[in-house]
Amino acid sequence: MRTRQIENVMVTDPAAATPETGFVDLVRLMTERGVGALPVVDADGHVLGVVSESDLIAKESVRERPRAALALLHRHAERVKSRGTTAGELMTSPAVTVPRDATVPHAARLMADHRVRRLPVVDADGVLVGVVDQGDLLRVFLRPDDAIAEEIAAEVFLRAMGLSPAGVAIRVDAGLVHLDGQVERRSWVAVIDSLTRSVDGVVDLRNQLTYQWDDTGVTIPEAMVVDITHEPR
């Protein structure tokens, strides 16, 4: 089944700065690449921090504010940052990064929690391998409805569950999935629900599946329970 992995939607040739990159070059890089933030990396590509348009604007905003108001309008850290001239001095560190094998929902949560729009993507050693922004995450929801329905039938029902989708009505409308029909076991309904929600492009799910019998309350007689915690003698 397809998985919404970050490495499938990230930009793989991101612009990056070094700690020594100067203010003007930072502005030029952001303008040329059309981005609002740049990862800052060391000589080996490890992400040290992120410098954003907000960090650069902080430097300019100080010039427009009366000195008497600075103590009220800026925290000490902001005043220090305003005097920076290189990426190393201006960046926010440590950077909020996301692993390349993370899922799109995980990256979305990170962005929401940290109020950022762009995340450096790193490998297991913390080396920059890409960048993902909000637009990249949203592109998965542009899949045609027919393609989503076909994947649910083929991957969720046939491959994952081993069930024929013939007895189930799968309808997708602007990413909203409707499932109607009947399956054999109640426990299958929850599994199908979870697998369907993981399909790329699914915005939400209306699961109206019914079941023939409830297997969720079935218990195994104690005499039939096999102890697998000990090695056989």
Side-chain angles (χ1 to χ4, degrees):
M1 181 178 296
R2 290 161 56 101
T3 54
R4 291 179 284 181
Q5 300 296 118
I6 287 299
E7 62 183 351
N8 295 329
V9 298
M10 70 182 184
V11 174
T12 56
D13 61 339
T18 68
E20 295 77 27
T21 304
F23 185 93
V24 173
D25 288 330
L26 291 171
V27 174
R28 182 180 296 113
L29 268 173
M30 289 184 188
T31 302
E32 290 176 350
R33 297 298 291 263
V35 297
L38 294 169
V40 182
V41 300
D42 64 16
D44 296 317
H46 297 99
V47 178
L48 304 175
V50 171
V51 61
S52 68
E53 289 176 333
S54 298
D55 298 322
L56 304 185
I57 291 297
K59 183 176 182 65
E60 291 302 305
S61 66
V62 170
R63 301 179 183 179
E64 300 298 325
R65 300 182 187 276
R67 286 184 177 275
L70 286 179
L72 297 175
L73 298 175
H74 292 284
R75 300 190 303 272
H76 175 69
E78 292 172 326
R79 295 200 302 272
V80 171
K81 181 171 288 189
S82 72
R83 295 194 292 269
T85 59
T86 65
E89 296 168 335
L90 292 163
M91 70 182 182
T92 298
S93 181
V96 180
T97 62
V98 64
R100 70 184 306 165
D101 59 351
T103 63
V104 167
H106 176 68
R109 285 194 297 272
L110 279 177
M111 288 183 181
D113 291 345
H114 295 276
R115 298 183 179 182
V116 296
R117 298 181 179 181
R118 189 173 173 86
L119 291 172
V121 183
V122 297
D123 64 15
D125 297 318
V127 174
L128 181 71
V129 294
V131 167
V132 63
D133 61 27
Q134 290 176 330
D136 298 324
L137 303 189
L138 293 174
R139 278 203 296 272
V140 299
F141 296 105
L142 298 179
R143 295 187 70 198
D145 290 339
D146 289 347
I148 296 173
E150 290 172 3
E151 182 170 339
I152 293 171
E155 297 294 329
V156 174
F157 283 90
L158 281 175
R159 194 178 75 83
M161 299 297 299
L163 303 173
S164 170
V168 176
I170 304 171
R171 182 168 59 88
V172 184
D173 182 13
L176 176 59
V177 179
H178 299 263
L179 296 180
D180 294 280
Q182 188 178 75
V183 294
E184 180 182 343
R185 305 184 183 190
R186 181 178 182 179
S187 62
W188 293 354
V189 175
V191 177
I192 291 169
D193 191 291
S194 177
L195 292 175
T196 299
R197 290 180 186 276
S198 72
V199 171
D200 286 2
V202 173
V203 175
D204 204 353
L205 171 62
R206 300 291 183 267
N207 190 347
Q208 301 297 321
L209 292 175
T210 60
Y211 49 88
Q212 295 178 14
W213 65 284
D214 185 354
D215 62 330
T216 59
V218 175
T219 58
I220 302 175
E222 185 175 350
M224 297 178 62
V225 176
V226 178
D227 184 357
I228 60 173
T229 60
H230 300 285
E231 293 291 336
R233 297 179 180 179

